Amino acid sequence: AALAQGTLDAARLRVQAARAPHVEEDRATVALERNRLDARSLRARLDAAKRSLAATWGSDDATLDGRALGEVSADLYQLPEIQEFAPLVERLQSNPDFLRFVTEERLREAELRLAATQKRADITIGGGIRRSQETKDIGLVASFSMPLFAGRQARSAIAEAAARRDLVGVQREAALIRARAELYALYSDLREAEARVAALQATVLPRMEEALKETQYAFERGRYGYLELVDAQREFLDAQADRIEAATQAQLLITEIERLTNAPLANP
């Protein structure tokens, strides 16, 4: 909108000086109004996003602890120093998704030990006194019981428990392989996004800004027409949008990597 306003001011001066047709001022006016409408639409989307965010903690309006959500002060383009890939792989072990496998493996080990104890037959010996109602006699009674084929039944239970324990290890290894592949994909995308942000900030945007200034200067003096100026503005704004998109993608990738590794990505 600020660029469009500057273009309108310059076009109006050209028209007043009879160096350009009046249609240039009309086109610049339309462009300014369209940019203002876009800005108004974005503000409405921002307000809706704030309310949606506040709804996650049960607030009906965009407030937190009774205070309105203000402007975000973080720097979108400030990316942390990225570590090498190998330390990130080591951090996967501390992810809660993998710690649950350790708990489950301990449970299966306990089941295996319990099954092993059943290999020995439980011998039951009992005794007591019995009185016969017919003869009025009293006698001592002893009992002895031992399950048959206890060892054979225990071996099948032990094999089943061992299989369940081994299955946990296989599932854990499979999940770890998938997580490593996902981590590598995220890491590669982050490196690419980081390089794109750096290139746009260091090379592309400064040159595009300088080209826009030169085009603006030439337009004000009648050497360039309205279309040349609009093209230069569009290219400059597209480069800025590319930087925003690349930096946003990098921040989202950082969040995913930190979630997967259960630790901050930045070096201490």
Side-chain angles (χ1 to χ4, degrees):
L3 287 176
Q5 181 65 61
T7 301
L8 175 59
D9 295 339
R12 184 174 291 123
L13 291 176
R14 282 162 53 98
V15 171
Q16 292 174 355
R19 294 201 303 265
H22 195 276
V23 67
E24 281 194 1
E25 182 178 351
D26 293 338
R27 297 175 70 178
T29 302
V30 172
L32 175 60
E33 291 303 318
R34 292 182 62 181
N35 280 284
R36 286 174 174 172
L37 289 174
D38 290 341
R40 188 178 299 113
S41 175
L42 288 172
R43 291 191 186 97
R45 289 174 54 189
L46 176 61
D47 182 66
K50 288 180 178 180
R51 288 179 174 271
S52 178
L53 176 64
T56 62
W57 55 73
S59 177
D60 293 332
D61 51 6
T63 59
L64 178 62
D65 295 333
R67 299 176 60 185
L69 296 179
E71 296 294 330
V72 177
S73 60
D75 186 356
L76 179 66
Y77 312 108
Q78 184 64 37
L79 302 178
E81 181 181 355
I82 303 175
Q83 298 182 6
E84 296 299 326
F85 182 68
L88 296 178
V89 175
E90 295 178 358
R91 289 183 178 182
L92 285 176
Q93 307 292 336
S94 60
N95 190 305
D97 293 339
F98 296 102
L99 293 179
R100 69 178 180 86
F101 285 109
V102 177
T103 303
E104 187 173 356
E105 194 170 14
R106 290 173 181 170
L107 176 61
R108 300 307 180 193
E109 286 285 353
E111 292 177 351
L112 179 59
R113 289 193 296 269
L114 177 61
T117 60
Q118 297 175 356
K119 188 175 182 180
R120 296 183 298 272
D122 293 334
I123 299 175
T124 304
I125 300 176
I129 300 175
R130 178 179 297 176
R131 181 176 182 276
S132 176
Q133 288 293 114
E134 296 179 356
T135 61
K136 308 299 183 183
D137 293 331
I138 296 176
L140 297 176
V141 177
S143 64
F144 173 84
S145 66
M146 182 180 69
L148 299 177
F149 311 111
R152 184 183 305 173
Q153 296 175 0
R155 283 194 296 271
S156 62
I158 291 173
E160 182 181 355
R164 286 198 297 265
R165 180 202 59 185
D166 296 340
L167 179 61
V168 173
V170 172
Q171 291 174 339
R172 181 179 183 276
E173 187 63 24
L176 187 58
I177 291 174
R178 290 194 300 269
R180 286 172 182 168
E182 181 182 355
L183 178 61
Y184 184 79
L186 293 172
Y187 185 81
S188 300
D189 291 344
L190 176 58
R191 284 295 192 187
E192 182 179 353
E194 180 190 38
R196 185 174 181 83
V197 172
L200 288 168
Q201 290 186 155
T203 305
V204 177
L205 276 173
R207 293 185 178 182
M208 295 297 299
E209 187 175 9
E210 185 63 27
L212 178 60
K213 290 180 180 178
E214 293 177 0
T215 306
Q216 180 77 31
Y217 182 83
F219 174 77
E220 293 172 354
R221 282 150 184 80
R223 295 198 296 269
Y224 279 173
Y226 178 78
L227 293 180
E228 286 82 1
L229 177 60
V230 171
D231 287 340
Q233 290 177 348
R234 184 181 298 111
E235 291 177 355
F236 176 69
L237 292 175
D238 287 344
Q240 284 189 325
D242 287 343
R243 182 177 65 155
I244 292 172
E245 182 180 356
T248 301
Q249 182 67 13
Q251 297 289 357
L252 294 175
L253 289 168
I254 289 171
T255 302
E256 285 299 311
I257 291 175
E258 291 179 343
R259 180 195 62 80
L260 196 59
T261 58
N262 197 36
L265 180 62
N267 284 320

